[in-house]
Amino acid sequence: MLCSCRIGNHVLNLLQLPGAIARPASVTEEEEDPLQPKMMKSKPDEEDYWNSSKFKAFTFDDEDDEFSRLKESKRAVNSIRGLVDEDEDEDDVEKVSWSGEPVGSISWSVGETAASNQRADREPAFPKINTDTQTTGKSHSGYSLSSLFKGKTRGGTFQTFTDSPSDSSARLYAPELRKPKSEYKDYVSDWSPEETVHRMQQGKTVSLEKFRSLQDKLLLLDFSVSAHDGNVITAILIYLKRTLSKEVLFRELESRQTALRHFIHYLSETRDQKLLLELLRSLGRTEDMVLLRYKEHLGIADENKRRDFLKSCLSLAFSPEDSAHVQDHFTLLERQIVIEAADGQAERGGKSEIFQKFPRRASILNMPLITTLYYCCFYHYHEPEGTFSGPLNIRHTFRISEKQFFVTALAARAKLKAWSDVDALFSCRNWLGFTKKKSPLSFHRVVDVLQKNSAPTQVLQEYVALVDDAHTRIALAQKLKCHDIVINTYRDLKDRKLLLGYRGKVEKGSSEETKIKELLENPQIRWKN
């Protein structure tokens, strides 16, 4: 009660202050005397003031969650948008850039792209907003508060929060959210060596850097070998080659032959000759090491340097068989250099008729042995055995078999149409002194070689008659139109019907038809049909 009286007296004192507002003259006595009605009248006003406040009391409702705050923020931005939209009416006005080009044209787009790239290098991500402008609707700097929230399109329209963020300005100012950790699981998870190999087989990206101990690295290699996946084995071997010393790697690969073969193949494909030689030397594989050393001659282009390199290889620890091949290779290249120099000089000087008639198409250097023999049989067939280019000298020096020499010489002389030399290849004398034709090659194949080189019918007929099998001989004779061979074969077979049938295939009035008629009328022949 005491408090109420004090408050009432205090109110009365305030009303009687000299600075209080004077009452109007029209007010009646009935209104101005009682104080209580005035107090009752101000109370509703006081309640309206507190009830109309924009602040709300605390509740346990769901209005204060993340979605509600997002809607409140959106409404605040839309209210700013309303202020901007009221001032900006640019749809009916053609926009022109500082260069004078209409906004949206191709030249404007190119210029804007170049300018934005330059501004991105020297300006911060969020540009400064000009605070000196008088209006809040338009911003002379080209940016507004609403553009920072929503992004403005080229046509002057604004995107809402639900629109697709395809505008470049929205992408420029909106910070990118970090990807969820689940997407980085393949990189940061603690996979075991077995799980890592399994994921590599599936083509997934994994990190091998976390396997630092020797035990883990060897487990990776063992699991990859057990998986029988060559790509995974090679990938892990590359990692081990980079992270292990050569001594440790070589020692561990020695007991893992499958991985060792993959590693040797990988070094061969990548042409890491130095490391491969060290590996073979540490494993004690001397023959493989010297063969790899010998293979280096393939990278030497100059024939003289290659010859010298092959000469140095003769002292390496080759097996007896391989040593003979290396010796033959060196001797052949040395002889090819001599022949090439002599024949090149003879061809340029025009002294040899065969070089003028049949010019050389390629150099003989670094050619195989059989190609060299063919070359010598073609250009130097009649040279004596003592010369480097003589075919017989090459045959004896490199121990060429009789059959191989015969086939090569036959092809070379038939190419030159030297039929007398071809006939001499087959001629041999028996112990009685008689001459007969003998060939290490079947006469059927001899006929094929002669036919491919366009031998005349008389030459072909001579060798078709030497074919042993009668049916093969008849087929070849009919194909090559050697009528005498067919007629004589039917006579030897005493087959009258086949001879009568063949008479219709020869020309009428020819010598072949006359011969068939005489044989059919011969009473001394006993025909079997």
Side-chain angles (χ1 to χ4, degrees):
M1 294 297 293
L2 181 59
C3 293
S4 301
C5 293
R6 288 181 180 177
I7 293 173
N9 293 331
H10 181 66
V11 172
L12 290 175
N13 292 331
L14 289 176
L15 293 174
Q16 293 175 3
L17 290 175
I21 300 174
R23 289 175 294 175
S26 61
V27 178
T28 61
E29 294 291 331
E30 187 175 351
E31 293 175 346
E32 62 183 29
D33 287 339
L35 182 61
Q36 187 66 24
K38 265 187 184 179
M39 298 288 296
M40 296 301 293
K41 188 175 182 179
S42 61
K43 187 175 181 181
D45 296 337
E46 186 178 354
E47 292 176 356
D48 293 337
Y49 170 77
W50 291 105
N51 293 331
S52 63
S53 175
K54 62 182 179 180
F55 298 100
K56 295 183 179 181
F58 175 79
T59 61
F60 288 96
D61 296 334
D62 296 333
E63 294 294 329
D64 198 25
D65 57 4
E66 292 289 333
F67 182 72
S68 300
R69 287 198 297 270
L70 180 61
K71 290 195 296 182
E72 288 292 338
S73 182
K74 183 176 179 181
R75 283 196 292 268
V77 173
N78 288 336
S79 64
I80 299 176
R81 170 189 172 184
L83 295 175
V84 177
D85 289 343
E86 288 176 1
D87 293 339
E88 290 187 1
D89 188 13
E90 300 172 352
D91 294 339
D92 298 332
V93 181
E94 183 182 15
K95 295 184 179 181
V96 180
S97 66
W98 287 107
S99 61
E101 296 291 338
V103 176
S105 63
I106 296 177
S107 58
W108 178 85
S109 301
V110 174
E112 277 298 305
T113 303
S116 63
N117 292 335
Q118 295 177 359
R119 288 197 300 269
D121 296 335
R122 61 176 182 268
E123 293 183 358
F126 287 87
K128 296 181 179 179
I129 301 176
N130 188 4
T131 58
D132 298 334
T133 56
Q134 298 297 327
T135 61
T136 59
K138 292 187 178 180
S139 177
H140 295 286
S141 64
Y143 303 100
S144 62
L145 186 59
S146 59
S147 65
L148 296 179
F149 282 90
K150 295 185 296 182
K152 182 179 177 182
T153 60
R154 291 181 181 177
T157 59
F158 288 85
Q159 294 178 343
T160 62
F161 281 98
T162 58
D163 292 338
S164 174
S166 61
D167 188 68
S168 60
S169 62
R171 291 195 300 271
L172 179 62
Y173 303 124
E176 293 186 2
L177 296 179
R178 190 171 182 178
K179 294 181 180 180
K181 291 185 178 180
S182 60
E183 297 189 16
Y184 297 96
K185 188 176 181 180
D186 291 348
Y187 303 96
V188 300
S189 296
D190 189 16
W191 302 109
S192 65
E194 184 176 7
E195 292 172 334
T196 301
V197 171
H198 182 64
R199 295 179 68 81
M200 292 176 69
Q201 284 185 282
Q202 296 175 345
K204 296 182 179 180
T205 304
V206 296
S207 175
L208 299 178
E209 300 296 334
K210 63 181 180 181
F211 299 103
R212 298 186 178 182
S213 66
L214 178 60
Q215 181 181 1
D216 289 342
K217 293 176 182 179
L218 295 179
L219 284 175
L220 277 175
L221 183 60
D222 293 337
F223 282 126
S224 65
V225 172
S226 300
H228 305 289
D229 193 324
N231 294 330
V232 178
I233 296 174
T234 304
I236 293 175
L237 284 173
I238 294 173
Y239 174 65
L240 298 184
K241 173 179 173 289
R242 183 169 56 86
T243 58
L244 293 178
S245 64
K246 292 184 292 186
E247 293 77 10
V248 175
L249 180 60
F250 295 165
R251 184 186 70 236
E252 298 298 336
L253 288 178
E254 188 175 4
S255 59
R256 296 169 172 84
Q257 291 299 315
T258 302
L260 177 62
R261 288 194 297 271
H262 277 80
F263 192 59
I264 292 176
H265 180 73
Y266 165 73
L267 294 178
S268 301
E269 290 295 323
T270 56
R271 298 183 179 180
D272 194 347
Q273 301 290 343
K274 182 179 179 181
L275 184 60
L276 185 55
L277 283 173
E278 293 180 5
L279 173 61
L280 296 175
R281 187 180 294 110
S282 66
L283 297 175
R285 296 169 62 168
T286 308
E287 292 186 4
D288 294 337
M289 184 182 67
V290 296
L291 286 175
L292 183 64
R293 171 70 176 169
Y294 164 72
K295 192 177 179 181
E296 293 180 9
H297 79 274
L298 297 174
I300 304 176
D302 185 74
E303 60 274 7
N304 293 314
K305 293 182 179 180
R306 180 179 289 193
R307 177 196 58 195
D308 297 339
F309 177 81
L310 291 174
K311 186 176 181 180
S312 66
C313 291
L314 296 176
S315 59
L316 297 178
F318 287 102
S319 64
E321 183 179 0
D322 293 337
S323 180
H325 288 305
V326 176
Q327 179 66 51
D328 289 344
H329 189 181
F330 167 71
T331 305
L332 178 63
L333 180 58
E334 188 177 33
R335 182 165 298 196
Q336 287 175 346
I337 293 175
V338 175
I339 295 173
E340 177 67 22
D343 290 354
Q345 184 177 2
E347 185 177 17
R348 289 188 298 269
K351 299 179 181 179
S352 179
E353 180 182 356
I354 190 170
F355 288 120
Q356 300 298 323
K357 190 175 181 180
F358 301 98
R360 299 187 306 162
R361 297 183 179 180
S363 172
I364 195 178
L365 295 175
N366 300 316
M367 290 295 176
L369 175 60
I370 298 303
T371 305
T372 305
L373 177 62
Y374 180 89
Y375 176 91
C376 293
C377 289
F378 194 92
Y379 290 107
H380 305 281
Y381 186 72
H382 296 287
E383 290 185 5
E385 187 176 351
T387 59
F388 274 172
S389 55
L392 295 177
N393 190 324
I394 294 179
R395 175 186 176 182
H396 294 153
T397 302
F398 297 101
R399 302 171 300 278
I400 299 176
S401 65
E402 180 185 0
K403 185 176 182 180
Q404 185 66 68
F405 178 82
F406 178 86
V407 173
T408 306
L410 175 64
R413 303 318 292 174
K415 184 72 175 179
L416 283 172
K417 307 292 190 295
W419 307 120
S420 58
D421 294 338
V422 170
D423 186 70
L425 287 172
F426 298 95
S427 299
C428 65
R429 293 181 178 274
N430 57 12
W431 63 279
L432 294 176
F434 294 102
T435 302
K436 67 175 184 178
K437 293 185 179 299
K438 183 180 179 181
S439 171
L441 191 68
S442 64
F443 282 100
H444 174 68
R445 293 188 58 188
V446 171
V447 172
D448 290 339
V449 173
L450 296 177
Q451 182 188 2
K452 289 179 181 179
N453 289 279
S454 304
T457 305
Q458 294 179 355
V459 175
L460 289 174
Q461 183 171 331
E462 184 178 358
Y463 293 99
V464 169
L466 297 175
V467 176
D468 294 332
D469 184 69
H471 297 286
T472 305
R473 184 166 65 248
I474 291 173
L476 281 175
Q478 291 179 348
K479 178 182 178 181
L480 301 175
K481 296 181 179 180
C482 298
H483 301 297
D484 290 340
I485 302 297
V486 178
I487 295 172
N488 294 333
T489 304
Y490 286 155
R491 179 200 61 192
D492 296 338
L493 294 175
K494 296 181 175 55
D495 197 327
R496 181 184 179 89
K497 292 183 178 180
L498 291 177
L499 191 60
L500 285 172
Y502 193 72
R503 185 171 64 176
K505 298 180 181 180
V506 298
E507 295 181 3
K508 293 183 179 181
S510 61
S511 58
E512 289 81 6
E513 185 182 18
T514 303
K515 185 176 181 180
I516 293 173
K517 184 178 180 181
E518 291 177 356
L519 290 174
L520 292 174
E521 294 176 354
N522 190 350
Q524 297 180 357
I525 301 176
R526 288 187 169 184
W527 304 99
K528 66 179 182 179
N529 50 23

